[in-house]
Amino acid sequence: MSECVFCKIVAGEGEASVVHRGGSVMAFLDINPINQGHVLVVPHIHYERFSNVDVPVLGEMMHVAQRVLQAIETSKIACDGANIFLSDGEVAGQEVPHTHLHIAPRFKEDGHRMGFSGIHLGGASRESLNGTAKLIADAMKR
Ligand code: AMP
């Protein structure tokens, strides 16, 4: 049996507070929410990384994320906005190696901050930005 905590939930062998079960994804509450209504959208298949997710599944993940957020917005859960995010890889803060989208409702003065350290690459000239754009665009053609 898989050791993955999300695979166990998908298989019905792990406890979860489920908000949606669909064709290829499910959505359940994060066990350690940053605010009420913090939901995870999780594909049934154990894709460890974002890059591996099949496009139709990716589409369903995004669609379910939107529906979950729309539902939260019409509920009595405090939600003036939301952070929808995915941490890909340990270095990016991914703790559960089964890719998943977070939908984290936010409200004014909820005490949270999201974002990076504030350190930016200094002096990104147009030349250097164009060089980086070419690296990625060329790789996308392969
Ligand atoms: P990440 O850092 O993006 O991998 O996020 C993993 C998230 O999964 C964290 O916010 C955890 O609180 C959440 N989590 C871990 N185990 C469970 C579980 N059994 N049920 C629900 N959420 C979980």
Side-chain angles (χ1 to χ4, degrees), residues 5-13 21 26 28 42-44 98:
V5 63
F6 287 176
C7 283
K8 282 189 176 139
I9 291 172
V10 167
E13 291 157 5
R21 277 184 204 279
M26 68 182 291
F28 51 83
V42 177
H44 294 169
H98 180 138

Side-chain angles (χ1 to χ4, degrees), residues 39-89:
V39 168
L40 303 175
V41 178
V42 177
H44 294 169
I45 294 174
H46 181 93
Y47 305 101
E48 185 168 333
R49 300 293 293 269
F50 178 71
S51 294
N52 305 129
V53 182
D54 295 300
V55 170
V57 178
L58 203 52
E60 193 176 336
M61 286 173 73
M62 291 308 291
H63 187 203
V64 169
Q66 187 189 49
R67 287 178 56 207
V68 166
L69 182 56
Q70 286 167 342
I72 290 170
E73 285 168 344
T74 59
S75 77
K76 62 182 186 187
I77 294 171
C79 182
D80 299 322
N83 290 110
I84 293 111
F85 67 95
L86 183 154
S87 300
D88 186 49

Side-chain angles (χ1 to χ4, degrees), residues 5-6 9 15 28-32 38 40 85 87 93-96 100 102:
V5 63
F6 287 176
I9 291 172
E15 209 179 12
F28 51 83
L29 289 178
D30 193 300
I31 203 169
N32 192 19
H38 181 170
L40 303 175
F85 67 95
S87 300
Q94 183 178 4
E95 290 167 14
V96 177
H100 52 279
H102 291 253

